Amino acid sequence: MFPALPGPAVSFNHNWDSYWSTSLFGSYSAVRYDGGANDNINGIGTSSAKGAYCAAFAASHGGQAAVGNQTGNYTCNPDFNVSQLGAVTRWTPVKNLTFSAEVMWFHLDQKMSGSSVFTASAPKPNALYEFKDQDTFLLQVRAQRNF
């Protein structure tokens, strides 16, 4: 199995006055597959979640190397962490009407390494892709009227 390890989620809200408020929030979580990253290479096969995942991935993506060995194109470890941090500021000029602006940062800390060729699937073309951590930023502006 692959248990999601619940991480901390934190938030803080500050009401500047009756018209303005700001909230800060963040979270962290992790997904860990049981077994070793080299289970499918070392002959243990699909008896562990990591072994099953890596065996299925290696069936369509050749070039897997053992973790710590750089002779192949990639090493397989499906574990990952996700963290996010954000802030939202709200302005309520009259009752039931709120304007807000929110900014967020998301970070994916994945454990695969190297690169592999992926077949074409929308919207990505058939190409060599590198496994690496990813960051995404979001800016959202909203007007909300409650009736």
Side-chain angles (χ1 to χ4, degrees):
M1 298 304 298
F2 49 93
L5 304 174
V10 296
S11 63
F12 172 77
N13 187 64
H14 180 72
N15 295 308
W16 299 98
D17 58 29
S18 59
Y19 302 105
W20 291 90
S21 69
T22 300
S23 297
L24 301 172
F25 53 91
S27 68
Y28 176 85
S29 60
V31 173
R32 298 289 181 259
Y33 290 73
D34 70 335
N38 297 327
D39 283 359
N40 66 315
I41 294 175
N42 294 337
I44 298 171
T46 60
S47 62
S48 70
K50 275 187 186 171
Y53 180 97
C54 293
F57 189 83
S60 60
H61 298 85
Q64 181 181 358
V67 173
N69 183 351
Q70 301 304 318
T71 60
N73 298 330
Y74 69 92
T75 59
C76 183
N77 183 351
D79 295 345
F80 64 93
N81 307 318
V82 176
S83 54
Q84 63 182 355
L85 184 62
V88 59
T89 296
R90 297 173 206 84
W91 175 48
T92 308
V94 295
K95 184 178 179 181
N96 297 326
L97 175 64
T98 303
F99 298 96
S100 62
E102 180 176 358
V103 63
M104 291 184 70
W105 164 70
F106 298 92
H107 178 70
L108 170 64
D109 174 22
Q110 60 87 40
K111 305 304 180 192
M112 303 271 277
S113 65
S115 59
S116 182
V117 174
F118 284 77
T119 56
S121 63
K124 297 281 192 178
N126 188 18
L128 178 68
Y129 291 95
E130 179 184 359
F131 296 110
K132 60 182 180 178
D133 295 347
Q134 299 178 38
D135 292 292
T136 301
F137 295 91
L138 165 79
L139 172 62
Q140 178 174 286
V141 179
R142 180 168 116 174
Q144 179 176 328
R145 175 76 172 155
N146 295 327
F147 296 97

